[in-house]
Amino acid sequence: MTPKEDRIAGLLLAAGGGRRLGGRPKALLEHRGRTLVEHAVASLRTAGCERVHVVLGASAAAVRERADLSGCVLVDNPDWAGGMGSSLRAGLGSLAGTGAPAALVLLVDQPGIGPEAVARVLAAYEDEATLVSAAYDGVRGHPVLFGAGHWAGVAAAATGDRGARDYLKAHENAIALVECGDVAQPYDIDTQADLARLE
């Protein structure tokens, strides 16, 4: 990894309230002996993100108390109920002035995406104009890497639950897709039925 890649920040969106899970915050669901938020932070760190910013919202106090997030920058999103867009804005805002040349965005409710997929997306970084997305059988998914040159545009377009979807659609031709279907599974933990995927 080049020194520049070493400075790419991991940005973990972990603010969701688990509305369809009866209000259980997704960050605190257990998987393989640890919380989903710890699992995701470990994936980012193992892949090479030394700086990790974690956006918290629902039950933020409980997450701070129960999860080991030492060494992470914790970002509170008071508007978390408004959807993922507000968390993405808060997270990118927290990176301003850090010198990070890019942010790799991972979602807390996708435990099937581990360090192998994160490392592949990180390795595709070229410069601050880079846009990279993991792909699964050619279909764009997470994680996504935004060079710092895109942050203002992403934040401006991030509304409601759409996150960066509109921005990525508008810049589709600039996105480098990195196939990760052989090393990761991009399922979400959204409903009671999805809890069966947790181990």
Side-chain angles (χ1 to χ4, degrees):
M1 233 186 231
T2 66
K4 194 97 168 163
E5 282 177 359
D6 284 347
R7 296 187 0 248
I8 293 173
L11 179 54
L12 177 59
L13 303 187
R19 192 175 63 249
R20 287 180 285 172
L21 291 168
R24 295 168 65 187
K26 294 180 180 184
L28 290 176
L29 295 174
E30 297 260 332
H31 181 59
R32 297 181 183 167
R34 58 186 166 185
T35 62
L36 285 189
V37 70
E38 291 167 329
H39 184 81
V41 166
S43 292
L44 289 165
R45 287 226 169 100
T46 301
C49 291
E50 290 178 20
R51 172 186 290 276
V52 177
H53 287 217
V54 182
V55 182
L56 300 177
S59 305
V63 175
R64 286 171 185 268
E65 189 179 305
R66 288 182 42 200
D68 179 5
L69 299 175
S70 49
C72 296
V73 174
L74 304 183
V75 181
D76 283 310
N77 174 19
D79 301 322
W80 64 269
M84 193 196 304
S86 63
S87 289
L88 185 54
R89 287 196 307 275
L92 290 174
S94 75
L95 289 170
T98 63
L104 185 138
V105 179
L106 187 64
L107 306 182
V108 78
D109 65 352
Q110 294 190 318
I113 298 174
E116 299 87 356
V118 175
R120 281 189 189 177
V121 172
L122 271 181
Y125 169 80
E126 291 180 1
D127 56 36
E128 296 191 5
T130 300
L131 266 183
V132 186
S133 174
Y136 300 89
D137 295 324
V139 178
R140 184 166 52 74
H142 284 90
V144 178
L145 182 144
F146 299 103
H150 293 281
W151 293 357
V154 171
T159 56
D161 245 340
R162 297 182 67 78
R165 197 178 310 163
D166 292 344
Y167 187 86
L168 290 170
K169 195 167 184 180
H171 295 79
E172 207 156 356
N173 295 337
I175 302 171
L177 292 180
V178 177
E179 183 56 48
C180 294
D182 58 322
V183 294
Q185 296 179 293
Y187 59 84
D188 298 334
I189 304 297
D190 275 338
T191 66
Q192 293 289 342
D194 296 333
L195 294 176
R197 289 182 175 272
L198 299 177
E199 297 167 16

